[in-house]
Amino acid sequence: MPEERAGQSERLKNGIHTACLVCPIRLNDHFREFSPGELEFVRSFRKGEFHADAGTTILVEGSHSAHLYTVLTGWGFRYKILEDGRRQILNYVVPGDMIGLQGAVFDEMAHSVEALTPMRLCVFERDRLLSLFEKHPGLGYDLTWIASREESMLDDHLISIGRRTALERAAYLLAFLDDRGRVSGLTGEDKAYLPITQAHVADTLGLSIVHTNKTLKKLVSRGLIRWLDRGCEILDNFGLQEAANWKPDGITRRPFI
Amino acid sequence: MPEERAGQSERLKNGIHTACLVCPIRLNDHFREFSPGELEFVRSFRKGEFHADAGTTILVEGSHSAHLYTVLTGWGFRYKILEDGRRQILNYVVPGDMIGLQGAVFDEMAHSVEALTPMRLCVFERDRLLSLFEKHPGLGYDLTWIASREESMLDDHLISIGRRTALERAAYLLAFLDDRGRVSGLTGEDKAYLPITQAHVADTLGLSIVHTNKTLKKLVSRGLIRWLDRGCEILDNFGLQEAANWKPDGITRRPFI
DNA sequence: CGAATATTTGACCGATGTCAAGGACCGTGG
DNA sequence: CCACGGTCCTTGACATCGGTCAAATATTCG
């Protein structure tokens, strides 16, 4: 597992670690700004940086992690596996998302997290989580915001898997991911490329791979997406939203830690 | 919509509202205790009490609620509805659960909440939520705990709907609800009675009513449950857990606000 | 080139949905 | 007390969506 701590090589500049200075999330307009005090605290809360290759398992179900992470760059996903191997992808993670919070708040993780692309993660010490609430109530509030937002995404996934047809589900998922990619800065103005295989789509939607393939072809033939080697290109996000009968939340400014 | 504010009739006793003194959640061993300062804050945060009849819609999707609630007694459920009427039940609420947090943190509710039985709810003002974080960081942490716990339940629901068979799903749901009933004090030592119809089960599991009925009969014939008029009696929780290949979390002491 | 992983396709199967109808139970009004 | 309508539960026949199996075809990576 390729791990790097960038902490030791960081230099100070105006009292702020260069790491936070060049933080890709802070530089993204979709995220809110820190007050100087908050930034200073987050800087001290931060323990270093973790680099994961594509395919790396970052957190494992059943483990007790000493760390919390905020995604800085790259795509990943959270999943669970049943004893006989059936896998369910619960959600995807993008820059600004926090992972490992469940492991910090309960005894152990109830799901695993894996990188879809190379990822950079900001590492925090879970022991100091309570002091975050004590010293910066606003950041504590933001954590609750982030957890509620995750909850609301899971609600959307649930109604999709439970009540939408295969075609609607697929359209929903791709529109949803495209939206997340844009908001988190993973995608620019261009057509989005989602770094997922059809197996990921299947395991997210609760479908078999074969049927997922046939369903995606329908979206292709409608001109909504293109399927590339190991990923999907979104041609018409709005068309996907219509096919799914779903709309993204219109949240413009998001907190992060 | 039958509404009662019990606030005006509450009397003080040792500086604590009788309402908090007799709070059924505080009296339940499965929940943690407040420090005197916390109790005093919660008492002041509290705005009154809301009584809902069975079948009442407590919060509606798309609305902007001025309140937050903690469930004191009774069962309810959260759900979403698609335009054409398809309904998905997202989760059930029991005493100790907070509802309306999403509406407090975002602009509007993305789901509705309905009472399954008569419910008593403790009402809080959403405007003062930030001051909870400021004055009692521990309570802020607890809110994050609660939100994370909800997330973890939704994760379980997702893998059930996505990857378990109809029989496994049904067994999972009933074991899960029985567990929640016990932990929240809705059920005593006796056999649990779950106040749900088969339509609720169907809309939770993403199944049709007809198939749900046939699936539940299998659980009946295995001696795991009995189906009564408008509800379900759990005869063998452990048998259900085995049929579902699922285990409840072993959390013993839960926070609440 | 060969192995491993992804994607694609066709044939067939089975779990689950839909339709339809009947029965049980409840609350209400006469 | 009975009649009535409204839910809820139950059941059978049939339809279909999506799963399984199997095999072919890329594509990547050594």
Side-chain angles (χ1 to χ4, degrees):
Chain A
M1 200 178 284
E3 184 167 348
E4 272 180 43
R5 305 249 170 252
Q8 41 281 56
S9 65
E10 290 163 12
R11 288 182 212 92
L12 287 172
K13 194 188 209 170
N14 299 328
I16 297 172
H17 267 224
T18 53
C20 287
L21 256 191
V22 300
C23 172
I25 305 177
R26 287 185 61 224
L27 300 174
N28 180 335
D29 281 345
H30 290 106
F31 292 94
R32 68 104 173 72
E33 290 176 32
F34 286 127
S35 73
E38 286 171 344
L39 183 57
E40 174 56 24
F41 177 84
V42 171
R43 192 203 58 68
S44 77
F45 186 30
R46 171 191 157 93
K47 236 200 116 195
E49 206 167 301
F50 179 87
H51 292 228
D53 287 337
T56 306
T57 300
I58 296 167
L59 289 168
V60 198
E61 186 171 348
S63 72
H64 171 95
S65 167
H67 299 119
L68 273 173
Y69 306 87
T70 289
V71 178
L72 296 176
T73 62
W75 288 93
F77 63 95
R78 302 197 299 118
Y79 66 97
K80 267 175 186 272
I81 293 196
L82 295 178
E83 276 178 13
D84 62 3
R86 284 175 283 179
R87 178 177 75 167
Q88 177 67 43
I89 294 182
L90 306 166
N91 200 5
Y92 292 80
V93 298
V94 298
D97 285 350
M98 171 155 281
I99 65 183
L101 187 58
Q102 280 187 29
V105 154
F106 309 125
D107 285 348
E108 46 179 60
M109 295 290 297
H111 61 259
S112 306
V113 181
E114 185 176 320
L116 278 171
T117 64
M119 291 178 84
R120 282 203 300 136
L121 301 153
C122 195
V123 183
F124 304 109
E125 197 99 43
R126 58 171 276 182
D127 293 342
R128 296 201 48 214
L129 188 55
L130 190 53
S131 83
L132 178 147
F133 283 87
E134 285 161 355
K135 293 182 186 151
H136 292 278
L139 294 181
Y141 181 91
D142 289 345
L143 259 190
T144 298
W145 191 101
I146 289 168
S148 290
R149 166 77 185 125
E150 176 75 17
E151 204 181 301
S152 135
M153 288 188 281
L154 295 178
D155 286 351
D156 270 347
H157 295 346
L158 266 171
I159 193 170
S160 290
I161 299 194
R163 288 305 186 201
R164 283 193 239 254
T165 65
L167 191 74
E168 291 170 329
R169 284 185 226 185
Y172 157 71
L173 176 63
L174 299 176
F176 168 78
L177 289 178
D178 184 38
D179 198 63
R180 296 215 78 201
R182 279 174 207 293
V183 168
S184 65
L186 284 167
T187 314
E189 293 308 313
D190 44 330
K191 291 193 276 284
Y193 168 79
L194 305 177
I196 52 176
T197 67
Q198 297 189 358
H200 291 118
V201 175
D203 284 349
T204 309
L205 302 180
L207 298 170
S208 70
I209 293 188
V210 172
H211 198 249
T212 297
N213 179 272
K214 288 168 181 167
T215 303
L216 289 171
K217 299 228 104 179
K218 289 187 192 168
L219 294 179
V220 170
S221 73
R222 291 194 192 181
L224 301 175
I225 63 169
R226 270 202 319 159
W227 200 267
L228 309 179
D229 177 33
R230 229 155 266 236
C232 171
E233 194 173 70
I234 305 296
L235 301 178
D236 179 1
N237 185 311
F238 187 69
L240 289 171
Q241 290 183 30
E242 282 201 317
N245 183 22
W246 173 83
K247 288 243 159 297
D249 69 32
I251 298 173
T252 50
R253 222 77 197 293
R254 296 155 195 276
F256 71 102
I257 306 289
Chain B
M1 201 178 285
E3 184 167 348
E4 272 179 43
R5 304 249 169 249
Q8 44 279 56
S9 65
E10 289 162 11
R11 287 182 213 93
L12 288 172
K13 193 187 209 173
N14 300 327
I16 297 173
H17 267 224
T18 52
C20 287
L21 256 190
V22 300
C23 171
I25 305 177
R26 288 186 61 224
L27 300 173
N28 180 334
D29 281 346
H30 290 107
F31 293 93
R32 68 104 173 71
E33 289 174 34
F34 286 129
S35 74
E38 286 170 344
L39 184 57
E40 173 56 25
F41 177 84
V42 170
R43 191 203 59 67
S44 76
F45 186 30
R46 172 191 157 92
K47 235 202 117 192
E49 208 167 301
F50 179 88
H51 292 227
D53 287 337
T56 306
T57 300
I58 296 168
L59 289 169
V60 285
E61 188 170 346
S63 72
H64 171 94
S65 168
H67 300 119
L68 274 174
Y69 305 87
T70 289
V71 178
L72 296 177
T73 62
W75 288 93
F77 63 95
R78 303 197 298 119
Y79 66 97
K80 269 176 186 271
I81 293 197
L82 295 179
E83 274 178 13
D84 61 3
R86 284 175 284 179
R87 177 177 76 167
Q88 177 67 43
I89 294 183
L90 305 166
N91 200 7
Y92 292 80
V93 298
V94 298
D97 285 350
M98 171 154 281
I99 64 183
L101 187 57
Q102 280 186 29
V105 155
F106 308 126
D107 284 348
E108 47 178 60
M109 296 290 298
H111 61 259
S112 306
V113 181
E114 184 176 321
L116 276 171
T117 63
M119 292 178 83
R120 283 204 299 135
L121 302 154
C122 195
V123 184
F124 304 110
E125 198 98 43
R126 58 170 276 183
D127 293 343
R128 296 200 49 214
L129 188 56
L130 190 52
S131 84
L132 178 147
F133 282 87
E134 285 162 354
K135 293 182 186 150
H136 291 278
L139 295 181
Y141 181 91
D142 288 345
L143 259 191
T144 298
W145 192 101
I146 289 168
S148 290
R149 167 76 184 124
E150 177 74 18
E151 203 181 300
S152 136
M153 288 187 281
L154 295 179
D155 286 351
D156 271 346
H157 294 347
L158 265 171
I159 193 170
S160 290
I161 300 194
R163 288 304 184 201
R164 283 193 239 254
T165 65
L167 191 75
E168 291 171 328
R169 284 184 227 184
Y172 157 72
L173 176 63
L174 299 176
F176 167 78
L177 288 178
D178 185 39
D179 198 64
R180 297 214 78 200
R182 280 173 206 293
V183 168
S184 65
L186 285 168
T187 315
E189 292 307 313
D190 45 330
K191 290 194 277 285
Y193 169 78
L194 305 177
I196 51 176
T197 68
Q198 297 189 358
H200 291 119
V201 176
D203 285 348
T204 310
L205 302 181
L207 297 170
S208 70
I209 293 189
V210 172
H211 195 66
T212 297
N213 179 271
K214 289 167 182 168
T215 303
L216 288 171
K217 300 229 104 180
K218 290 188 192 167
L219 294 179
V220 170
S221 73
R222 291 194 191 181
L224 301 174
I225 63 169
R226 270 203 317 159
W227 200 268
L228 310 178
D229 176 34
R230 230 153 264 241
C232 171
E233 194 173 70
I234 304 296
L235 302 178
D236 179 2
N237 185 310
F238 187 69
L240 289 170
Q241 290 182 31
E242 283 201 316
N245 183 23
W246 173 82
K247 288 245 159 295
D249 68 34
I251 298 173
T252 50
R253 223 78 197 295
R254 297 154 195 277
F256 71 103
I257 307 290

